[in-house]
PDB file of all heavy atoms in Angstrom:
ATOM      1  N   MET A 204     102.048 110.295 187.493  1.00  0.00           N
ATOM      2  CA  MET A 204     100.755 109.686 187.308  1.00  0.00           C
ATOM      3  C   MET A 204     100.515 109.151 185.911  1.00  0.00           C
ATOM      4  O   MET A 204      99.484 108.511 185.642  1.00  0.00           O
ATOM      5  CB  MET A 204      99.647 110.648 187.682  1.00  0.00           C
ATOM      6  CG  MET A 204      99.658 111.146 189.142  1.00  0.00           C
ATOM      7  SD  MET A 204      98.382 112.404 189.487  1.00  0.00           S
ATOM      8  CE  MET A 204      96.911 111.462 189.197  1.00  0.00           C
ATOM      9  N   GLY A 205     101.368 109.426 184.960  1.00  0.00           N
ATOM     10  CA  GLY A 205     101.199 108.895 183.600  1.00  0.00           C
ATOM     11  C   GLY A 205      99.951 109.475 182.952  1.00  0.00           C
ATOM     12  O   GLY A 205      99.630 110.641 183.061  1.00  0.00           O
ATOM     13  N   ILE A 206      99.226 108.609 182.289  1.00  0.00           N
ATOM     14  CA  ILE A 206      98.053 109.055 181.521  1.00  0.00           C
ATOM     15  C   ILE A 206      96.948 109.618 182.424  1.00  0.00           C
ATOM     16  O   ILE A 206      96.210 110.536 182.036  1.00  0.00           O
ATOM     17  CB  ILE A 206      97.489 107.911 180.638  1.00  0.00           C
ATOM     18  CG1 ILE A 206      96.522 108.490 179.576  1.00  0.00           C
ATOM     19  CG2 ILE A 206      96.883 106.805 181.468  1.00  0.00           C
ATOM     20  CD1 ILE A 206      96.122 107.449 178.538  1.00  0.00           C
ATOM     21  N   ALA A 207      96.883 109.113 183.686  1.00  0.00           N
ATOM     22  CA  ALA A 207      95.903 109.692 184.637  1.00  0.00           C
ATOM     23  C   ALA A 207      96.266 111.121 184.979  1.00  0.00           C
ATOM     24  O   ALA A 207      95.420 112.000 185.223  1.00  0.00           O
ATOM     25  CB  ALA A 207      95.861 108.846 185.882  1.00  0.00           C
ATOM     26  N   GLY A 208      97.584 111.439 185.013  1.00  0.00           N
ATOM     27  CA  GLY A 208      98.051 112.780 185.284  1.00  0.00           C
ATOM     28  C   GLY A 208      97.631 113.741 184.167  1.00  0.00           C
ATOM     29  O   GLY A 208      97.333 114.897 184.420  1.00  0.00           O
ATOM     30  N   ALA A 209      97.615 113.230 182.921  1.00  0.00           N
ATOM     31  CA  ALA A 209      97.149 114.081 181.772  1.00  0.00           C
ATOM     32  C   ALA A 209      95.693 114.457 182.007  1.00  0.00           C
ATOM     33  O   ALA A 209      95.308 115.623 181.793  1.00  0.00           O
ATOM     34  CB  ALA A 209      97.303 113.342 180.490  1.00  0.00           C
ATOM     35  N   GLY A 210      94.865 113.544 182.452  1.00  0.00           N
ATOM     36  CA  GLY A 210      93.462 113.826 182.687  1.00  0.00           C
ATOM     37  C   GLY A 210      93.296 114.835 183.829  1.00  0.00           C
ATOM     38  O   GLY A 210      92.475 115.760 183.735  1.00  0.00           O
ATOM     39  N   LEU A 211      94.037 114.658 184.912  1.00  0.00           N
ATOM     40  CA  LEU A 211      93.938 115.540 186.054  1.00  0.00           C
ATOM     41  C   LEU A 211      94.465 116.950 185.688  1.00  0.00           C
ATOM     42  O   LEU A 211      93.853 117.964 186.122  1.00  0.00           O
ATOM     43  CB  LEU A 211      94.762 114.999 187.232  1.00  0.00           C
ATOM     44  CG  LEU A 211      94.736 115.807 188.525  1.00  0.00           C
ATOM     45  CD1 LEU A 211      93.277 115.947 189.064  1.00  0.00           C
ATOM     46  CD2 LEU A 211      95.602 115.135 189.589  1.00  0.00           C
ATOM     47  N   ALA A 212      95.529 117.048 184.910  1.00  0.00           N
ATOM     48  CA  ALA A 212      96.035 118.340 184.483  1.00  0.00           C
ATOM     49  C   ALA A 212      95.017 119.115 183.731  1.00  0.00           C
ATOM     50  O   ALA A 212      94.798 120.335 183.925  1.00  0.00           O
ATOM     51  CB  ALA A 212      97.325 118.115 183.673  1.00  0.00           C
ATOM     52  N   SER A 213      94.340 118.457 182.754  1.00  0.00           N
ATOM     53  CA  SER A 213      93.349 119.136 181.946  1.00  0.00           C
ATOM     54  C   SER A 213      92.151 119.559 182.750  1.00  0.00           C
ATOM     55  O   SER A 213      91.594 120.651 182.530  1.00  0.00           O
ATOM     56  CB  SER A 213      92.902 118.172 180.816  1.00  0.00           C
ATOM     57  OG  SER A 213      93.970 117.823 180.004  1.00  0.00           O
ATOM     58  N   THR A 214      91.772 118.738 183.741  1.00  0.00           N
ATOM     59  CA  THR A 214      90.629 119.094 184.611  1.00  0.00           C
ATOM     60  C   THR A 214      90.937 120.327 185.422  1.00  0.00           C
ATOM     61  O   THR A 214      90.138 121.282 185.503  1.00  0.00           O
ATOM     62  CB  THR A 214      90.338 117.942 185.545  1.00  0.00           C
ATOM     63  OG1 THR A 214      89.840 116.806 184.720  1.00  0.00           O
ATOM     64  CG2 THR A 214      89.293 118.260 186.564  1.00  0.00           C
ATOM     65  N   ILE A 215      92.103 120.368 186.047  1.00  0.00           N
ATOM     66  CA  ILE A 215      92.493 121.543 186.870  1.00  0.00           C
ATOM     67  C   ILE A 215      92.606 122.802 186.013  1.00  0.00           C
ATOM     68  O   ILE A 215      92.130 123.857 186.413  1.00  0.00           O
ATOM     69  CB  ILE A 215      93.816 121.260 187.600  1.00  0.00           C
ATOM     70  CG1 ILE A 215      93.665 120.128 188.630  1.00  0.00           C
ATOM     71  CG2 ILE A 215      94.305 122.513 188.333  1.00  0.00           C
ATOM     72  CD1 ILE A 215      94.954 119.683 189.263  1.00  0.00           C
ATOM     73  N   ALA A 216      93.157 122.632 184.826  1.00  0.00           N
ATOM     74  CA  ALA A 216      93.325 123.792 183.912  1.00  0.00           C
ATOM     75  C   ALA A 216      91.975 124.382 183.559  1.00  0.00           C
ATOM     76  O   ALA A 216      91.838 125.622 183.480  1.00  0.00           O
ATOM     77  CB  ALA A 216      94.090 123.376 182.653  1.00  0.00           C
ATOM     78  N   GLU A 217      90.973 123.559 183.369  1.00  0.00           N
ATOM     79  CA  GLU A 217      89.648 124.051 183.007  1.00  0.00           C
ATOM     80  C   GLU A 217      88.995 124.802 184.164  1.00  0.00           C
ATOM     81  O   GLU A 217      88.330 125.798 183.938  1.00  0.00           O
ATOM     82  CB  GLU A 217      88.739 122.913 182.552  1.00  0.00           C
ATOM     83  CG  GLU A 217      89.066 122.372 181.179  1.00  0.00           C
ATOM     84  CD  GLU A 217      88.119 121.359 180.646  1.00  0.00           C
ATOM     85  OE1 GLU A 217      87.535 120.570 181.456  1.00  0.00           O
ATOM     86  OE2 GLU A 217      87.900 121.286 179.432  1.00  0.00           O
ATOM     87  N   TYR A 218      89.218 124.342 185.400  1.00  0.00           N
ATOM     88  CA  TYR A 218      88.664 125.086 186.565  1.00  0.00           C
ATOM     89  C   TYR A 218      89.361 126.434 186.739  1.00  0.00           C
ATOM     90  O   TYR A 218      88.735 127.405 187.066  1.00  0.00           O
ATOM     91  CB  TYR A 218      88.776 124.213 187.792  1.00  0.00           C
ATOM     92  CG  TYR A 218      87.658 123.212 187.932  1.00  0.00           C
ATOM     93  CD1 TYR A 218      87.873 121.874 187.633  1.00  0.00           C
ATOM     94  CD2 TYR A 218      86.410 123.622 188.371  1.00  0.00           C
ATOM     95  CE1 TYR A 218      86.831 120.945 187.784  1.00  0.00           C
ATOM     96  CE2 TYR A 218      85.356 122.716 188.513  1.00  0.00           C
ATOM     97  CZ  TYR A 218      85.572 121.375 188.201  1.00  0.00           C
ATOM     98  OH  TYR A 218      84.553 120.479 188.274  1.00  0.00           O
TER      99      TYR A 218
END
Side-chain angles (χ1 to χ4, degrees):
M204 298 177 64
I206 194 169
L211 182 59
S213 300
T214 294
I215 295 173
E217 286 187 329
Y218 278 102

